[in-house]
Amino acid sequence: MRAKPEYRDRDETEVAVLDALADRHNEGMTVFEIRSQADVNIDQIEGALAALKEDDLIEVDDDGERTVILPDEDVVGPDATDDEPSLFEQIRRRLPF
């Protein structure tokens, strides 16, 4: 899954974090799990999480054992089930491989 289009005009790191969280929106992710999914360093993640928290796009759940970050329900877009193939896929089908 990905973040909804209306949230994709944010900073590149924030979008990467939202996309990672959207993939596991039910169970949430730790900071280290986000780090493994988003191709950004820990300092960038820290800034992105602060900005997203300030805008109420994420919530933090601390159950005493681990801290999990969850995206707001409004952020998560629909499953990526495009009926129409991408341009790359269309070209690949036409070329004799």
Side-chain angles (χ1 to χ4, degrees), residues 1-80:
M1 287 191 178
R2 295 180 61 163
K4 288 182 179 176
E6 56 262 32
Y7 298 103
R8 304 200 69 75
D9 63 347
R10 303 180 70 86
D11 177 74
E12 184 179 321
T13 303
E14 292 175 24
V15 173
V17 169
L18 287 175
D19 284 344
L21 290 170
D23 282 339
R24 296 198 15 213
H25 65 279
N26 290 328
E27 60 268 7
M29 299 176 86
T30 65
V31 173
F32 295 112
E33 291 170 329
I34 293 170
R35 171 65 183 95
S36 70
Q37 295 294 315
D39 191 25
V40 293
N41 68 44
I42 199 76
D43 293 328
Q44 292 171 310
I45 291 173
E46 183 180 336
L49 290 174
L52 294 171
K53 178 70 174 156
E54 185 176 310
D55 293 340
D56 293 324
L57 297 179
I58 61 170
E59 55 185 76
V60 180
D61 182 27
D62 184 3
D63 65 4
E65 290 185 26
R66 65 184 239 171
T67 302
V68 178
I69 301 158
L70 299 149
D72 187 72
E73 289 180 23
D74 293 336
V75 173
V76 181
D79 286 335

Side-chain angles (χ1 to χ4, degrees), residues 79-91:
D79 286 335
T81 55
D82 294 335
D83 293 336
E84 202 169 308
S86 68
L87 177 61
F88 175 75
E89 183 66 27
Q90 291 174 20
I91 292 171

